[in-house]
Amino acid sequence: MKQRIITAIIAAAIFLPIVIIGGVPLIFLAYLLASIALYELLKMRKLKLFSVPGLIALIVLWIFLLPNQLQDILIALKYSKVEVALLAILLFLTYTVATKNKFTFDDVAFSIMSIIYIGMGFLYFIEIRETGGLIYIFYSLFIIWATDSGAYFIGRAFGKRKLWPEISPNKTVEGFFGGIFCAVVVSILFVIFSDIDASFLKLGIITIFLSIFGQVGDLVESALKRHYHVKDSGRLLPGHGGILDRFDSLLFVWPLLYFFHF
């Protein structure tokens, strides 16, 4: 526990000031976190980042992460993100032939899904900060922290029915709803004490959806780790695992928050 607390304090001391500053430092941070997350995800399937398909995936991820204000680069080249993704698929498929199917069709699908899964989350992290301002980033962080804390403590105190034991044996139905309740309480505090542009009802409804899908994001990561027989996605954060272990819920929450509110 002591190690987890120390790691959390150090990580917050680095992460939060950059989020507050925004702009180029925030974009750089998103690129760094997304690149590490891609490395962790490819490693689960025993694919190397520093390989031909790994570098293709990394380059496409970086292009996918280009925020709206920087898409003039693609426009100047007369390409769209969709066209870049389609080109990447052709390159991946070509590589299956070049390696005589050592890099398989399943590896192609995994690589593309990894790019979309990670890229979509961190892209909307950037867009929410630049479009909605700092308040919505803090809102999303506090909602997920409240959900995680509520699910853990209420689950331990009252949990009797397993939520999804085949994927995450320790999660309970009571903890699931406890997490949603705590998230809604936090959303009420945001309406009262901040200048967030939303009514009690609107933010409450959005919060319920975000809390639910934040927990789904956590379960998705658990399912991935269980499928590939790994305990943590990485070791970058002692006591916490890897970047995917810490951002799995937010990778679901940030795109949904953007779609619901912006």
Side-chain angles (χ1 to χ4, degrees):
M1 180 60 74
K2 182 179 179 181
Q3 187 181 54
R4 286 176 63 88
I5 294 172
I6 293 172
T7 301
I9 292 172
I10 295 173
I14 297 171
F15 180 77
L16 294 178
I18 296 175
V19 170
I20 292 170
I21 293 169
V24 174
L26 180 92
I27 294 173
F28 180 81
L29 176 65
Y31 268 75
L32 178 62
L33 294 175
S35 299
I36 296 172
L38 179 64
Y39 162 77
E40 292 175 350
L41 200 51
L42 293 179
K43 187 179 178 182
M44 286 188 196
R45 194 172 170 82
K46 295 180 170 57
L47 297 173
K48 295 180 179 180
L49 182 64
F50 294 104
S51 63
V52 172
L55 291 174
I56 292 172
L58 185 62
I59 291 169
V60 176
L61 175 66
W62 286 352
I63 293 172
F64 194 87
L65 285 173
L66 282 172
N68 290 333
Q69 65 266 36
L70 295 179
Q71 288 198 45
D72 290 343
I73 299 171
L74 284 178
I75 294 172
L77 296 173
K78 297 182 180 179
Y79 289 109
S80 68
K81 290 183 179 181
V82 173
E83 289 169 331
V84 170
L86 293 175
L87 176 60
I89 292 172
L90 295 180
L91 292 175
F92 281 133
L93 292 174
T94 300
Y95 194 70
T96 65
V97 176
T99 61
K100 299 179 181 179
N101 226 23
K102 291 180 181 178
F103 182 77
T104 67
F105 190 85
D106 289 345
D107 292 328
V108 174
F110 185 87
S111 300
I112 292 296
M113 286 302 299
S114 297
I115 294 167
I116 296 172
Y117 169 44
I118 295 167
M120 184 169 60
F122 283 107
L123 171 64
Y124 286 108
F125 166 57
I126 298 171
E127 292 297 342
I128 289 171
R129 176 62 181 91
E130 298 304 306
T131 304
L134 186 60
I135 188 64
Y136 285 98
I137 294 295
F138 277 120
Y139 161 73
S140 64
L141 293 174
F142 276 98
I143 287 300
I144 290 306
W145 292 339
T147 297
D148 289 346
S149 299
Y152 177 76
F153 288 109
I154 293 175
R156 287 197 64 178
F158 305 104
K160 294 181 180 179
R161 292 168 290 180
K162 297 296 183 180
L163 178 65
W164 216 302
E166 297 85 357
I167 293 177
S168 187
N170 295 325
K171 296 187 186 303
T172 64
V173 174
E174 292 80 4
F176 175 81
F177 286 104
I180 297 172
F181 172 78
C182 291
V184 171
V185 170
V186 169
S187 74
I188 293 172
L189 295 177
F190 262 85
V191 175
I192 295 173
F193 295 108
S194 77
D195 60 350
I196 195 166
D197 184 23
S199 65
F200 283 107
L201 180 61
K202 179 180 179 180
L203 199 65
I205 293 172
I206 290 175
T207 299
I208 291 171
F209 275 103
L210 296 185
S211 182
I212 291 172
F213 280 98
Q215 294 185 74
V216 170
D218 188 25
L219 289 169
V220 167
E221 178 67 12
S222 295
L224 274 169
K225 291 188 291 187
R226 186 167 289 273
H227 180 73
Y228 289 108
H229 307 290
V230 297
K231 183 178 183 295
D232 295 314
S233 66
R235 300 180 180 177
L236 182 64
L237 304 170
H240 292 268
I243 294 300
L244 281 174
D245 292 312
R246 290 300 90 207
F247 286 87
D248 49 8
S249 296
L250 290 164
L251 291 178
F252 272 61
V253 164
W254 283 328
L256 290 172
L257 175 58
Y258 189 88
F259 296 152
F260 283 144
H261 196 70
F262 297 98

